[in-house]
Amino acid sequence: MSAEGGFEADWRWFCVEYIIVAAAAVMLVFIVHVSFNADVARRVLPVLLLAFITRLAVHVMLMRNGGTWYGGDNLTYESISMEIVEEWKREGVHFVALGQAGSLKSVAVPCNLFAIVIYLCGGKAALACTAVVALLACGLCVLMYRFARLLDVDERSAFRLLIISAFTPAFLVHTSDTFKDGFNAFLVIACLGLACSNMKRFDMRKLFVLGPLLWALWHVRPYMVFMCAPSLILSVLGSRRSPSLRVMATLSMVLVPVLILLGVAAEEGPFGAMREQLEYGQSDDLRRAVASEDSGVVFEDGGSPWGALGPKLLYTLLSPFPWAEGTMMLQFGKIEVVIWYYLLYSAVRGARRLWRYDRSMFWILLLFIVPSMVAYATTMANIGLIFRQRMPIVMVTSLLSAVAWTRVPPKKEQAPDSLSNERAGDYVKT
């Protein structure tokens, strides 16, 4: 009797898990068709379906059946999700916040989402959770395409960017299991995309969408909220279509609750959390501990996170180098870095081009890329970690690459001192 009951439970788990996988695939088809016109959708859908299936295949063949090839955080998040399910069984379904902000373990959003999947399946459901992550990754590729079009990138180059984004090795691996990196990249690109969209055409509704995105990002990687903040503030201040009175009213509506939330004088507010995170990440003890692991690197910085900043920036931006020794994943990362070098080269050309015809967009992207790179450089101690952490930076930088690939110059592309850029030039000066 008990054996039969156990079989029925296993069969129910098997059925529900595969139903969720199928539902994720159907949702992907729906997202593509509502995001693009018919001609573009016909080209995009096969690419994203292949990206979706590839992630499931990597999960089954390598992540879970490849021995100790790669794993760690994904298994930890799965374990936390199981604990959330147990809490739900005792106290009812509710959002469970995890960890302290300063501990760099705030993964509440992905773990609660995985917990929903596990709860529906009635047990561990790694494949179904991976299907959700793969759907999110494909959604990010859609965002990248639309973001590129927002920067006046032509369809050919935007489609090229979508393909590269979908199959970049680091992004592919870290969206083939229950990692949080895909959530982080998706939310960062969504926030910056809204910022650029609002810069072109002010709309109060975008600010209301931005709120939940920032909340979710805080519960994935809290410090990324602060990395996005300069670009978001810039987009509100520099909105081309919003009268000054509207800007002031909007700023008042946004800043008052934000200041209350942050509690500038309170050590327990987000500003205090940011300070704790920075101190934790830059602490000499932590950096030495991380450097002692596989793929670690030690700098002669006198124990100061700001010491040897040049070499740290070089490693943050360009590692792993061809001669670097380390784990199998680090060696795999050398394939990734070849793509990254190409994207960097194209991004420099794209940045110069974007500066000529849309300086406001240029500054929104740069105000994310540069501070993020510097912040990561001050915590640099392990090439394997930076390989994962800089994924959002790679995504944003690749948008500049797409600008360089565009064959048809935007109609508004003119000399830097043209009248069409007068407002952008005045904005930069301020």
Side-chain angles (χ1 to χ4, degrees), residues 13 28 42 68 137 152 156-157 216 227 230 257 292 332 348 370 378 383 418:
W13 162 80
L28 174 58
R42 277 195 294 269
T68 58
D152 295 316
R156 180 192 63 86
S157 300
M227 298 301 177
S292 66
F332 181 70
V348 172
V370 174
T378 63
I383 297 172
S418 66

Side-chain angles (χ1 to χ4, degrees), residues 189-236:
I189 294 300
C191 289
L192 294 180
L194 275 176
C196 285
S197 178
N198 211 36
M199 178 72 83
K200 284 201 167 186
R201 183 167 185 172
F202 182 84
D203 191 336
M204 184 73 70
R205 290 172 296 181
K206 296 172 186 175
L207 297 180
F208 290 114
V209 174
L210 192 59
L213 289 175
L214 290 174
W215 174 87
L217 185 58
W218 179 262
H219 287 285
V220 175
R221 275 205 176 125
Y223 55 86
M224 294 307 297
V225 173
F226 294 89
M227 298 301 177
C228 293
S231 298
L232 299 178
I233 294 172
L234 203 63
S235 70
V236 176

Side-chain angles (χ1 to χ4, degrees), residues 55-299:
R55 281 162 170 78
L56 297 183
V58 170
H59 169 81
V60 172
M61 294 187 292
L62 293 179
M63 302 305 293
R64 294 303 172 111
N65 292 322
T68 58
W69 179 75
Y70 191 68
D73 290 351
N74 53 332
L75 303 178
T76 300
Y77 301 153
E78 185 179 52
S79 176
I80 294 173
S81 302
M82 293 291 292
E83 293 176 7
I84 292 175
V85 172
E86 293 302 316
E87 182 173 336
W88 285 354
K89 291 178 180 178
R90 294 191 304 268
E91 304 178 13
V93 177
H94 62 285
F95 181 79
V96 179
L98 302 171
Q100 300 299 317
S103 67
L104 299 179
K105 294 180 180 178
S106 186
V107 290
V109 164
C111 287
N112 277 268
L113 184 57
F114 297 149
I116 292 174
V117 175
I118 294 170
Y119 187 80
L120 291 174
C121 292
K124 280 190 175 182
L127 183 64
C129 290
T130 300
V132 173
V133 177
L135 174 62
L136 189 78
C138 293
L140 173 57
C141 296
V142 172
L143 285 181
M144 291 292 289
Y145 183 102
R146 295 176 66 87
F147 200 158
R149 295 291 288 155
L150 192 64
L151 299 175
D152 295 316
V153 171
D154 62 23
E155 289 189 0
R156 180 192 63 86
S157 300
F159 182 65
R160 181 180 178 182
L161 176 64
L162 180 144
I163 295 174
I164 292 176
S165 300
F167 296 102
T168 298
F171 184 59
L172 174 61
V173 168
H174 291 98
T175 50
S176 296
D177 211 299
T178 52
F179 295 100
K180 70 175 182 179
D181 302 275
F183 291 85
N184 179 47
F186 178 90
L187 292 168
V188 167
I189 294 300
C191 289
L192 294 180
L194 275 176
C196 285
S197 178
N198 211 36
M199 178 72 83
K200 284 201 167 186
R201 183 167 185 172
F202 182 84
D203 191 336
M204 184 73 70
R205 290 172 296 181
K206 296 172 186 175
L207 297 180
F208 290 114
V209 174
L210 192 59
L213 289 175
L214 290 174
W215 174 87
L217 185 58
W218 179 262
H219 287 285
V220 175
R221 275 205 176 125
Y223 55 86
M224 294 307 297
V225 173
F226 294 89
M227 298 301 177
C228 293
S231 298
L232 299 178
I233 294 172
L234 203 63
S235 70
V236 176
L237 292 174
S239 180
R240 297 174 179 176
R241 302 255 181 118
S242 56
S244 57
L245 288 177
R246 182 184 293 183
V247 171
M248 295 303 296
T250 302
L251 285 176
S252 300
M253 293 176 60
V254 172
L255 288 179
V256 170
V258 166
L259 288 175
I260 294 174
L261 172 67
L262 295 181
V264 178
E267 288 294 323
E268 297 180 357
F271 274 140
M274 178 60 181
R275 178 185 58 78
E276 291 177 7
Q277 288 176 4
L278 192 61
E279 291 177 353
Y280 176 79
Q282 293 179 342
S283 65
D284 187 53
D285 290 341
L286 178 65
R287 288 187 294 119
R288 288 186 180 278
V290 174
S292 66
E293 299 175 358
D294 292 334
S295 307
V297 56
V298 178
F299 298 92

Side-chain angles (χ1 to χ4, degrees), residues 147-154 200 240 349-363 365 399-425:
F147 200 158
R149 295 291 288 155
L150 192 64
L151 299 175
D152 295 316
V153 171
D154 62 23
K200 284 201 167 186
R240 297 174 179 176
R349 295 171 48 231
R352 294 174 58 186
R353 188 175 190 178
L354 188 61
W355 172 263
R356 287 199 299 269
Y357 72 85
D358 201 333
R359 293 183 180 178
S360 55
M361 297 295 177
F362 170 88
W363 282 110
L365 298 182
L399 290 164
L400 293 173
S401 304
V403 174
W405 301 332
T406 300
R407 292 179 180 176
V408 181
K411 294 180 181 179
K412 58 184 177 180
E413 185 173 5
Q414 300 178 28
D417 58 349
S418 66
L419 290 178
S420 64
N421 275 327
E422 182 178 357
R423 182 171 182 178

